[in-house]
Amino acid sequence: MKKKQIKKTVSSLTNRPPVVAVVGHIDHGKTTLLDKIRQSKIASREPGGITQHIGASQIEFKTKDGSLRKITFIDTPGHAAFTKMRARGVEATDLVVLVIAADAGIQEQTKESLDHIKAAGTPFLVAINKIDLASGNVDQVKEELVEIGATPEEYGGDLVVVSVSAKTGQGIDNLLEMICLMADLQSLKADSNAKLKGVVIESTLDRQRGPVATVLVKNGRVKLTDEIFAETVRAKVKAVRNWLGKLVSEALPGDAVEILGFEAVPPVGAAVAKKPQPIKAKKKDIDRKKTEEEKLKLVFKADTQGTLEAILNALPPDVKIIHAGVGQLTDSDVFLAQTTGAQIFVFNVKISLAAEKIITQGGVKVFQTKIIYEFLEEVEKRLVGELDPLVGVRVLGKAKVIAEFKIKGKRIAGARVSEGEVARGSKVYLMREEKIIGEGVANSMKQQRKDIDKAIKNQEFGVVFSPHLDFALGDVIISYRNGTTDKKGRTAPED
Ligand code: GDP
């Protein structure tokens, strides 16, 4: 008997280049650092120097152990693009390099970057730059890092910190070495023969060329003439260009390439595949579910460092600060709040035009005030609102279970109304220690054996629930109807 030939499935899982973003405060040297890295480590030497064609680049680096490694850097024009991707549920970046200038130390945007990194949960390392400057003080920057809760390894923490000079090139090999090491820890594998998975990292409408998108390939490959989709936007791939603008036949995992042929401009953050992609559930929805049980998340901006600190010190412990900073509310702040399910508070600052646009489009609510007291009061109210299981319903009355009777085997709760009224046929929650433990309808209500329609404050009555609720003495019966909540998260009448 002839054995059937078993088709071997060859696993071609290989390491893919890490995708790295460089962030930090303005003027701390991000651009200079990336330029220096590209100058010395480009994979293909082009006559006439390098002109970066897209918001990404790829270098090749020989590590100490002699292996040749590729690293893909993606430019992050502000945090908006970065956060936009997360808002669509994709993570483009494997690793972030946070640049801090040795002569300036931790600044406003450094903290902002750090908040974004933490919210994304992306592994990161710190590059202290400009160490060639006499005014630079590496140790001081490290101490500042400790102060904000990011403790370098040599101080007993787990933060990798390297010192570099983008100007002289000192320390850059060490930085690249650390990037490779940290990438290895994540064991970034991909299969170029697998199904295509990618993400749009930039997109635009070019007058001559039509829709143009930069796609980062995470798995599989993109070839000329392929039919691909960015979410629901179709493309018959007409051209694939690498970061230097050179036409290539295909892009492999870890590559970022410019693609022509899309029928419309796909959104940044869109997932790319061979089939149309359903638009992913926004991450904020997932996060928001958690918020209800967890702390109240806040993104807030204040006019001065003084007010910022005053507010921070006065906030109750149940508040989790996703980001707090000085200056106007930016689109990046709003994206951050959206993706983390945080509430936005601003104290005496303007809202940027870009932020305003997202706020109106996305139905985001921003609490604005110029009075610290009002700020704190609103936080308290929302805290109660967040933790109150009755948000979203209109409470009609409350009654406490004070007795239990049994008639013909049926358990009847004896209760006294403490607030409002409880009506026969009304929906009820049974609450124990501030938690809803059951829900049903107040089916039959009696007072001294007579059927009644309702019981008002201070009246006692007997009630049978439908379905049966396993009540105990001390439980509270909440009579309610579904209602709307007002913008402060408290209940308001339906009509
Ligand atoms: P970015 O805003 O973070 O992209 O910062 P840039 O790369 O534009 O750098 C801001 C300024 O710092 C420029 O004048 C750079 O020449 C200078 N700079 C960047 N890196 C270094 C460095 O390592 N040493 C010194 N001395 N100057 C640097």
Side-chain angles (χ1 to χ4, degrees), residues 144-188:
E144 287 175 13
L145 280 166
V146 175
E147 273 168 35
I148 60 163
T151 313
E153 279 179 328
E154 64 260 55
Y155 285 66
D158 51 16
L159 176 65
V160 173
V161 179
V162 295
S163 303
V164 296
S165 165
K167 195 175 174 189
T168 66
Q170 190 190 341
I172 283 183
D173 277 3
N174 186 33
L175 168 65
L176 299 176
E177 194 82 37
M178 289 319 287
I179 289 175
C180 292
L181 268 175
M182 285 183 70
D184 288 346
L185 289 178
Q186 296 184 53
S187 50
L188 306 165

Side-chain angles (χ1 to χ4, degrees), residues 22-35 99 101 103 128-133 164-169:
V22 179
V23 301
H25 195 76
I26 187 161
D27 280 344
H28 281 207
K30 300 178 290 291
T31 319
T32 316
L33 182 65
L34 274 171
D35 282 347
V99 176
D103 62 333
I128 301 179
N129 187 31
K130 309 197 186 183
I131 54 164
D132 57 286
L133 291 176
V164 296
S165 165
K167 195 175 174 189
T168 66

Side-chain angles (χ1 to χ4, degrees), residues 2 35 80 89 223 230 288 311 393:
K2 223 179 170 184
D35 282 347
K223 292 190 309 291
R288 188 147 297 156
I311 291 170
V393 303

Side-chain angles (χ1 to χ4, degrees), residues 48 155 215 223 260 275 292 329 360 475:
Y155 285 66
V215 172
K223 292 190 309 291
L260 295 191
K275 293 215 173 85
E292 261 120 47
L329 186 77
T360 27
D475 288 352

